[in-house]
Amino acid sequence: MNDELDMQWMQRALALARHAEEAGEVPVGAVVVLNGEAIGEGWNQPIRSNDPTAHAEIVALRAAAIRLRNYRLLDTTLYVTLEPCAMCASAMVHARVGRVVYGAPDPKAGAVGSVFNLLDSDKLNHRAQVVGGVLEQACGDLLRGFFKARR
């Protein structure tokens, strides 16, 4: 995959993260891409929706599955501004996402390399290619700024 395309899609994920921030949610955004087209987008909304599973990735995966009319999201790439947690990484395994690109690592709960690596586990029936650190500084700055303002 092209680094420039990864940065362009991560910019879209960052724009979605800002929607979450404006709503008072932790600013994380995600976009699912298939053949150069966004087929699902999402941003964190567990507070607004009273749904602990409404992470940006889950929202984007749900939208993509509805759009494709298939819960299998083969050959897709999911872009997300923060390294996915175990719940989101597991959903990606079940959806058979082919590639995951994230911005900032999550040293406390990251499940695609920082704490766990669910997307490259020989214990699970699917593996995905992972690329981390795309626009890491911008993604991390957005999160740090959000939490600093809340303290």
Side-chain angles (χ1 to χ4, degrees), residues 111-149:
V112 299
S114 290
V115 178
F116 306 104
N117 195 345
L118 295 178
L119 296 182
D120 192 32
S121 172
D122 61 0
K123 306 282 187 212
L124 301 174
N125 60 350
H126 175 75
R127 292 182 180 171
Q129 177 188 3
V130 175
V131 176
V134 174
L135 298 182
E136 179 178 346
Q137 187 69 45
C139 293
D141 286 349
L142 183 61
L143 286 158
R144 282 185 290 277
F146 174 81
F147 287 113
K148 185 177 181 182

Side-chain angles (χ1 to χ4, degrees), residues 57-138:
E57 302 96 307
I58 300 295
V59 174
L61 289 169
R62 286 176 179 158
I66 288 168
R67 171 113 183 248
L68 293 182
R69 301 176 126 181
N70 192 338
Y71 72 106
R72 296 284 194 230
L73 302 176
L74 302 173
D75 302 317
T76 59
T77 298
L78 188 145
Y79 293 88
V80 60
T81 56
L82 178 65
E83 180 182 356
C85 70
M87 174 185 69
C88 293
S90 294
M92 292 170 205
V93 168
H94 289 290
R96 306 294 193 269
V97 170
R99 187 168 176 263
V100 176
V101 179
Y102 69 88
D106 185 346
K108 293 183 179 179
V112 299
S114 290
V115 178
F116 306 104
N117 195 345
L118 295 178
L119 296 182
D120 192 32
S121 172
D122 61 0
K123 306 282 187 212
L124 301 174
N125 60 350
H126 175 75
R127 292 182 180 171
Q129 177 188 3
V130 175
V131 176
V134 174
L135 298 182
E136 179 178 346
Q137 187 69 45

